[in-house]
């Protein structure tokens, strides 16, 4: 690895120390359905987002709720203390398309219709409010 790449990699690692992320791969639901749930909690305070997800009727909300709990636990592990109410928020939540299983369903007159069973990948990053407030005040 060259010196330039090493310095760049160290800078990326340093910037990721402050935030905690959780990744959920190969969720067997369509990305469109998952994005609907992700849009509900984007930018919210984490404990408020947990309440929204808990009482949502969507199937995807159960998976995102578990992922959010994992991200909070990751943040607590990194900072060696418990998260307080109003301290953390959902900084980034992104849903990307995963692999698609292609299946055939029998159709009339000897034909077959293609069924696409989609999957998705969810990335969730939580961060503290206080860090952003300091950056705004410095500029």
């Amino acid at each position: 690895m060259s010196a330039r790449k090493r310095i760049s990699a160290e800078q990326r690692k340093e910037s990721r120390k402050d935030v905690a992320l959780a990744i959920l791969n190969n969720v067997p639901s369509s990305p469109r359905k998952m994005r609907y749930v992700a849009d509900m909690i984007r930018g919210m305070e984490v404990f408020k987002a947990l309440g929204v997800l808990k009482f949502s009727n969507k199937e995807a909300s159960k998976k995102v709720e578990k992922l959010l709990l994992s991200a909070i636990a990751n943040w607590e592990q990194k900072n060696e203390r418990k998260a307080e109410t109003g301290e953390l928020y959902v900084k980034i939540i992104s849903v990307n398309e995963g692999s698609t299983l292609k299946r055939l369903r029998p159709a009339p007159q000897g034909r077959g219709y293609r069924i696409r069973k989609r999957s998705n990948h969810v990335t969730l990053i939580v961060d503290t409010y206080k860090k952003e407030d300091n950056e705004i005040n410095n500029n």
Side-chain angles (χ1 to χ4, degrees):
M1 183 183 289
S2 66
R4 183 176 50 84
K5 279 190 173 181
R6 188 178 310 108
I7 292 168
S8 164
E10 288 171 2
Q11 286 174 347
R12 273 196 311 273
K13 283 182 190 175
E14 195 64 34
S15 68
R16 291 182 89 178
K17 277 187 178 179
D18 301 332
V19 297
L21 81 147
I23 299 173
L24 184 63
N25 285 327
N26 298 320
V27 182
S29 71
S30 73
R32 185 175 180 177
K33 292 175 184 176
M34 188 64 79
R35 280 189 195 107
Y36 182 78
V37 174
D39 290 342
M40 286 194 308
I41 65 162
R42 185 172 287 121
M44 261 189 200
E45 193 267 321
V46 292
F47 294 110
K48 184 178 177 186
L50 282 172
V52 168
L53 292 171
K54 188 164 194 72
F55 294 106
S56 174
N57 291 331
K58 299 287 183 186
E59 180 68 29
S61 66
K62 292 175 184 66
K63 294 176 188 295
V64 175
E65 180 184 4
K66 193 171 180 181
L67 183 68
L68 182 56
L69 287 170
S70 176
I72 294 168
N74 290 344
W75 184 88
E76 289 173 348
Q77 184 73 29
K78 271 188 176 181
N79 294 295
E80 299 174 350
R81 64 187 179 92
K82 289 283 187 185
E84 298 170 9
T85 305
E87 183 177 15
L88 292 176
Y89 74 105
V90 179
K91 183 176 183 180
I92 298 171
I93 181 166
S94 63
V95 180
N96 298 321
E97 190 171 336
S99 60
T100 302
L101 300 174
K102 293 167 178 85
R103 301 289 183 258
L104 285 176
R105 168 149 299 162
Q109 298 180 352
R111 288 190 297 261
Y113 292 155
R114 179 171 279 181
I115 302 296
R116 293 189 306 263
K117 296 186 175 189
R118 300 176 187 271
S119 68
N120 61 65
H121 309 307
V122 185
T123 305
L124 191 141
I125 299 176
V126 294
D127 200 2
T128 58
Y129 276 121
K130 294 173 186 165
K131 190 183 83 162
E132 295 226 341
D133 292 340
N134 292 338
E135 289 177 7
I136 293 169
N137 292 336
N138 291 338
N139 291 333

